[in-house]
Amino acid sequence: MDGLLQFFSYSGFANITLGHGIMILVGLIFIFLAIKYNYEPLLLVPIGFGILIGNIPYLQESSFAIGVYDQGSVLRYLYMGVLKGIYPPIIFLGIGAMTDFSTLISSPRLMLLGAATQVGIFITFLGAILLGFNLNEAASIGIIGGADGPTAIFLSSKLANGLNGNLNLIGPIAIAAYSYMALVPVIQPPIMKLLTSKKERLIKMKPPRSVSKTEKILFPIIGIILTGFISPGALPLLGMLFFGNLLKESMVTERLAETARKSLIDIVTILLGITVGASTQADVFLTKQSLLIFILGALSFMIATAGGILFAKVMNIFSKSDNKINPLIGAAGVSAVPDSARVVQHEGLKEDPSNHLLMHAMAPNVAGVIGSAVAAGILMSFLS
Amino acid sequence: MNIQILEQGLTISIIGYFIVFAILLLLYLTFYYLAKLIEFQAKKRCKKAGRKCNETEDFIINSEVSAAISAALYLHFNEMHDIESGKLTVKTISRRYTPWNSKIYNIMNKL
């Protein structure tokens, strides 16, 4: 009988708390949203399942090494990829190998939209300081506005990793970033409607010109030299992004590009999702700070979207009448590739079924990836 | 809240945002002038070869055509299988078994 009682004391049923129950419910909601509504399923299913794994309760005093925070556990070793910032650059390699920068090269002025949306990062950074976070934590929270999960994880793993007197905010920041990325189709359309007139939404943009192979090959090379020299902090992310793109565009390393954009990115996405999910153990995750991070993250997304749209309107003042920008594409400047570009296409088609904005929106969308990585690099070089 | 931290934050924000803008502006200008340079070189080359320079002009496809091409490619790559009957059939193969040839069937993976 004693043996049976001891076994029960080790089981999840004996150790469950309200916090575990809430987190398990959150995990189930993630899985439900991914499967039922197809919201970012490649991310939400691993993260949701990771939340379940991380929140199955067990006797903390036991000598079992189970969770990501237990020294020597398997999950801990896998979590090292997050903690040491290994996974995000590999994901950037895959993104580079699957991204076509043609529209950006053909309309380089749209790069400025990718810069304008980064206003969300810096305003949220200030907001987080006002709410009492220290500089490192505030920078990690602000980067949620870049709408780029790997960048958010990369920066928080460097600045808010629980070391040097900083809080460990990797879990809440990653969950907030990915949740809002999944909610792009819900968050952005009202802001887009609010800040644009019907006439502006109907603007038809000039089709992008065709881009030569030379330009495509030169883009990652010039890109890394320019961004790397100015912001070396962004090298791990942008180096891999541009390297992946060169593998794709050079046409002589197709095998490597294929691996980077398929198998490699898939493997790392699985590991990243499951370990980030598992890091949201109730005692670490359910705090006042997490709630503030979620509020700031939402604001960050909204400000970034508004920044892109308003800047597109400003650019229109200086554009020729036959070369106007549809301000809706400014919203795609928040990275969230390719979801925010898809939202722009959808909203454009609602106004005019013959106005396809997807190709145009992809330009600020990929510029946003570069912009948010540069912003992360700058924050890192100021604060680490 | 510490005013000094806020001041530091404000400085980082202003400088940081300025640098992000500067980098993307630099990329914009580089690729804007690179395109012009490539176009100029192409025109020079075709002039030298005695061809009409119009041949190097941009080939612009309007958005409806691009959408139609994309849709066709999507259908081609994602719906490559035609509808199959769903009937399962068993093909009988007769062969004479001998201790001499049995292993070779396995090695050559023949039915």
Side-chain angles (χ1 to χ4, degrees):
Chain A
M1 190 65 191
D2 281 350
L4 202 63
L5 284 173
Q6 194 187 357
F7 173 75
F8 181 73
S9 74
Y10 278 112
S11 73
F13 294 107
N15 295 291
I16 192 160
T17 61
L18 181 65
H20 289 122
I22 293 171
M23 287 311 295
I24 288 173
L25 195 66
V26 171
L28 291 174
I29 292 171
F30 270 41
I31 296 170
F32 172 75
L33 286 175
I35 296 171
K36 177 80 179 172
Y37 296 107
N38 215 24
Y39 282 174
E40 293 273 353
L42 298 180
L43 295 169
L44 291 193
V45 169
I47 292 178
F49 207 82
I51 294 174
L52 298 187
I53 292 174
N55 285 284
I56 301 287
Y58 56 90
L59 192 63
Q60 294 291 330
E61 292 81 41
S62 69
S63 55
F64 301 153
I66 300 169
V68 293
Y69 299 112
D70 299 338
Q71 290 295 335
S73 76
V74 175
L75 279 174
R76 172 96 186 157
Y77 288 119
L78 296 177
Y79 187 56
M80 280 294 160
V82 175
L83 215 54
K84 301 286 177 197
I86 298 166
Y87 296 148
I90 301 175
I91 290 192
F92 262 64
L93 176 76
I95 293 171
M98 66 171 80
T99 305
D100 186 355
F101 285 100
S102 301
T103 45
L104 188 63
I105 301 168
S106 71
S107 314
R109 67 180 174 145
L110 299 181
M111 280 185 202
L112 299 180
L113 294 176
T117 48
Q118 307 315 320
V119 69
I121 293 177
F122 294 103
I123 289 184
T124 313
F125 171 56
L126 292 175
I129 293 171
L130 285 171
L131 287 174
F133 289 96
N134 69 27
L135 285 172
N136 285 17
E137 294 158 6
S140 307
I141 296 167
I143 205 74
I144 298 173
D148 202 331
T151 308
I153 291 172
F154 183 74
L155 192 67
S156 51
S157 71
K158 300 286 174 199
L159 299 180
N161 50 13
L163 303 172
N164 304 325
N166 300 308
L167 295 170
N168 181 359
L169 300 178
I170 303 172
I173 287 172
I175 299 289
Y178 282 118
S179 307
Y180 292 130
M181 278 166 67
L183 291 173
V184 157
V186 182
I187 297 171
Q188 287 197 318
I191 303 168
M192 291 157 90
K193 280 220 164 145
L194 190 73
L195 295 177
T196 54
S197 64
K198 189 167 175 70
K199 195 181 159 198
E200 284 171 328
R201 293 197 290 272
L202 287 171
I203 292 175
K204 280 197 174 182
M205 292 177 66
K206 255 170 88 172
R209 69 175 173 87
S210 54
V211 174
S212 69
K213 192 185 165 190
T214 317
E215 285 174 279
K216 286 185 184 181
I217 291 173
L218 283 175
F219 182 76
I221 297 169
I222 295 175
I224 189 60
I225 291 171
L226 280 182
T227 54
F229 269 93
I230 299 174
S231 172
L235 271 177
L237 295 176
L238 288 179
M240 294 301 250
L241 178 82
F242 287 128
F243 172 53
N245 192 246
L246 184 63
L247 291 180
K248 172 181 180 280
E249 299 301 351
S250 66
M251 310 281 271
V252 290
T253 49
E254 194 44 43
R255 267 174 54 194
L256 303 185
E258 191 76 0
T259 304
R261 72 171 155 255
K262 287 189 176 164
S263 325
L264 191 59
I265 199 170
D266 286 350
I267 292 167
V268 177
T269 303
I270 291 169
L271 294 175
L272 183 82
I274 206 89
T275 50
V276 162
S279 72
T280 61
Q281 286 182 8
D283 50 337
V284 180
F285 191 81
L286 289 178
T287 59
K288 191 184 124 200
Q289 279 84 5
S290 299
L291 189 69
L292 288 175
I293 289 169
F294 270 82
I295 295 168
L296 285 165
L299 282 173
S300 191
F301 248 70
M302 290 174 193
I303 296 166
T305 305
I309 295 168
L310 293 175
F311 195 76
K313 291 171 81 152
V314 172
M315 284 174 78
N316 271 345
I317 300 171
F318 302 101
S319 306
K320 289 179 192 163
S321 58
D322 64 336
N323 200 16
K324 296 271 184 203
I325 298 169
N326 188 319
L328 289 178
I329 71 164
V334 302
S335 318
V337 181
D339 286 2
S340 53
R342 267 195 229 135
V343 169
V344 171
Q345 161 83 349
H346 187 68
E347 292 303 306
L349 287 179
K350 263 196 216 166
E351 298 294 333
D352 175 0
S354 70
N355 195 5
H356 297 277
L357 293 171
L358 186 65
M359 271 200 296
H360 304 289
M362 279 311 289
N365 208 192
V366 291
V369 176
I370 300 172
S372 57
V374 169
I378 292 163
L379 289 169
M380 222 165 75
S381 49
F382 269 116
L383 300 168
S384 54
Chain B
M1 187 204 47
N2 192 333
I3 296 292
Q4 205 184 347
I5 292 179
L6 188 62
E7 273 177 11
Q8 259 180 297
L10 206 60
T11 313
I12 293 171
S13 297
I14 294 167
I15 297 174
Y17 195 46
F18 173 76
I19 298 173
V20 172
F21 238 102
I23 290 179
L24 285 162
L25 185 69
L26 208 58
L27 270 176
Y28 156 49
L29 293 173
T30 309
F31 281 92
Y32 179 75
Y33 287 108
L34 184 73
K36 299 256 176 217
L37 185 73
I38 288 174
E39 199 185 324
F40 176 73
Q41 291 283 344
K43 276 186 181 167
K44 211 169 138 185
R45 260 204 309 273
C46 72
K47 234 177 200 175
K48 214 174 178 182
R51 280 186 285 127
K52 274 188 178 177
C53 293
N54 291 351
E55 287 167 26
T56 60
E57 272 181 8
D58 293 338
F59 175 64
I60 292 173
I61 306 169
N62 71 35
S63 49
E64 283 85 359
V65 175
S66 320
I69 292 170
S70 312
L73 285 172
Y74 178 83
L75 288 173
H76 175 71
F77 287 116
N78 292 285
E79 294 178 16
M80 291 207 310
H81 287 286
D82 50 9
I83 300 160
E84 291 176 11
S85 68
K87 285 178 192 164
L88 288 176
T89 51
V90 177
K91 190 178 174 188
T92 37
I93 292 174
S94 63
R95 64 182 173 212
R96 228 161 36 142
Y97 172 83
T98 77
W100 301 102
N101 63 11
S102 65
K103 284 194 182 72
I104 206 75
Y105 281 139
N106 290 333
I107 289 166
M108 297 179 75
N109 201 22
K110 282 183 175 176
L111 281 170

